[in-house]
Amino acid sequence: MEQVDLDDWHTADPTRVAEAAARVADSLPLTIGIATRRPPERLRPLVQALTLTLAGPQVDSPGHELVPVADPWKAFAALAEVGDRHPQATVTLGRLLRQTPSLTTLDGLAAEAAAYSMLLGGNEFAAWLAERGPRAVLADGECVRLSRDGGRLSILLDRPARRNAFAFRMREELYDALEVAALDDSVEEVELAGAGPVFCSGGDLAEFGTARDLVAAYLVRLDRAPWRLIDRLRDRVTVRVRGAAVGAGIEMAAFAGRVVASPGAFFQLPEVRMGLVPGAGGTVSVPRRIGRWRAAWLMLSGARLDAGTALRWGLVDEVDDHDR
């Protein structure tokens, strides 16, 4: 991972800036900008080419390219440590995020699914599995509940004892539930929520590493992706997030036309530290809402984003105590 001190570039001429931007965009390592002052407009091509820019708290950053942090140099050191520990996942994520914003939903999901399946066979994910140790896969009853009131279809993720962890069975049932709305024009609204205090704690860790045929896993991940249907129905879909929206939880929610979070909600993307990249559409949906730069920061840092910051960044559309 490399860094560029943007403060040193404030007086650079446009030709030098353009050349540097081209080199950064074409380089394999992730390149992180650091700014303690707001970069002038002439640096915009370079700022946009960077993986992301860490900006001090005094830097006014109205766009998506800058990530405000308390200490940019300390934040860079933390990202560099992640890159040193998970070079395969970080480089894969960096290149993926340079592609997905310019692709159609299906093409973006195909690129993500291919990268995810590749990393499932990598040594970084194997090391995470070995460190985690074996987990028992639990048998479940129904994981998704439906109710209909006129033109409104309500879908509830219903594994509260597992914090609505996104299991294979839940994926299949959610796909079938959303297909009802996709095939029935009389469904005017779709509301997706989670039972219990947590919307979705991410993929069910007990099922991680159980895929034996990675090509088949890629095809299933693409063909039976509920987030494809959420994207298709986005103008009719509202997701209500309470508590945690981790991994798949925020990745699929971000496809919806409207995301409403409770004040105590938080959002997190921890996959890189597992040797993976987001695999539930997050490299497509999250950059669409907050830009690829802040998406990269969330995915690389694994940091928790509170509801207020998520609202300011555009990851959610409203913060409301919908449980009152």
Side-chain angles (χ1 to χ4, degrees):
M1 192 173 293
E2 300 175 353
Q3 60 88 8
V4 174
D5 187 345
L6 289 171
D7 292 354
D8 294 339
W9 283 76
H10 279 218
T11 59
D13 65 78
T15 300
R16 185 181 172 215
V17 171
E19 290 173 348
R23 286 196 302 271
V24 166
D26 199 40
S27 65
L28 197 57
L30 278 62
T31 309
I32 311 297
I34 295 178
T36 63
R37 295 177 289 157
R38 183 173 178 174
E41 185 63 26
R42 71 169 65 91
L43 290 187
R44 189 168 182 79
L46 178 55
V47 172
Q48 291 188 320
L50 293 167
T51 304
L52 62 98
T53 294
L54 300 165
Q58 73 279 11
V59 178
D60 178 25
S61 54
H64 292 307
E65 296 93 342
L66 274 59
V67 179
V69 293
D71 184 334
W73 294 100
K74 184 176 180 180
F76 172 75
L79 293 183
E81 182 179 356
V82 173
D84 288 342
R85 293 188 62 186
H86 306 286
Q88 296 172 354
T90 53
V91 170
T92 300
L93 176 68
R95 297 315 307 177
L96 192 58
L97 286 176
R98 289 186 183 276
Q99 301 174 47
T100 50
S102 62
L103 299 175
T104 65
T105 297
L106 182 57
D107 287 345
L109 292 178
E112 178 186 280
Y116 189 91
S117 292
M118 174 187 71
L119 290 170
L120 283 176
N123 56 27
E124 292 175 10
F125 179 61
W128 177 83
L129 279 177
E131 183 178 345
R132 183 206 65 175
R135 297 281 182 93
V137 178
L138 301 179
D140 274 316
E142 288 187 350
C143 299
V144 173
R145 282 193 284 142
L146 294 181
S147 61
R148 179 91 182 251
D149 182 8
R152 173 180 288 184
L153 179 68
S154 296
I155 303 175
L156 190 71
L157 306 181
D158 194 23
R159 297 183 80 203
R162 295 283 291 166
R163 297 167 61 86
N164 294 322
F166 204 72
F168 298 149
R169 179 166 182 170
M170 180 180 281
R171 180 191 66 198
E172 292 298 308
E173 292 182 13
L174 180 57
Y175 186 93
D176 291 341
L178 289 164
E179 202 169 35
V180 171
L183 297 174
D184 185 351
D185 290 339
S186 70
V187 176
E188 299 170 349
E189 301 175 61
V190 178
E191 184 170 283
L192 175 62
V198 169
F199 171 66
C200 179
S201 60
D204 191 333
L205 298 184
E207 295 182 346
F208 277 57
T210 58
R212 293 292 175 259
D213 185 335
L214 300 185
V215 176
Y218 160 78
L219 294 172
V220 170
R221 181 170 295 276
L222 191 57
D223 182 53
R224 297 289 294 178
W227 31 97
R228 284 181 61 192
L229 296 180
I230 294 174
D231 179 66
R232 188 185 308 170
L233 299 165
R234 61 178 296 107
D235 292 340
R236 290 188 268 165
V237 177
T238 295
V239 176
R240 297 192 177 274
V241 175
R242 178 174 54 207
V246 177
I250 182 53
E251 294 176 57
M252 62 180 175
F255 279 111
R258 183 166 174 257
V259 180
V260 181
S262 64
F266 70 87
F267 308 87
Q268 191 171 18
L269 292 162
E271 291 90 348
V272 167
R273 293 170 187 265
M274 301 160 63
L276 299 171
V277 295
T283 64
V284 179
S285 62
V286 175
R288 286 180 178 177
R289 282 184 165 266
I290 66 173
R292 69 167 176 85
W293 307 272
R294 289 180 174 178
W297 180 77
L298 280 179
M299 295 169 190
L300 291 168
S301 69
R304 287 190 177 192
L305 198 68
D306 62 67
T309 305
L311 179 64
R312 290 193 299 274
W313 285 15
L315 189 59
V316 305
D317 303 292
E318 182 182 349
V319 174
D320 177 62
D321 191 358
H322 42 268
D323 296 324
R324 66 178 182 271

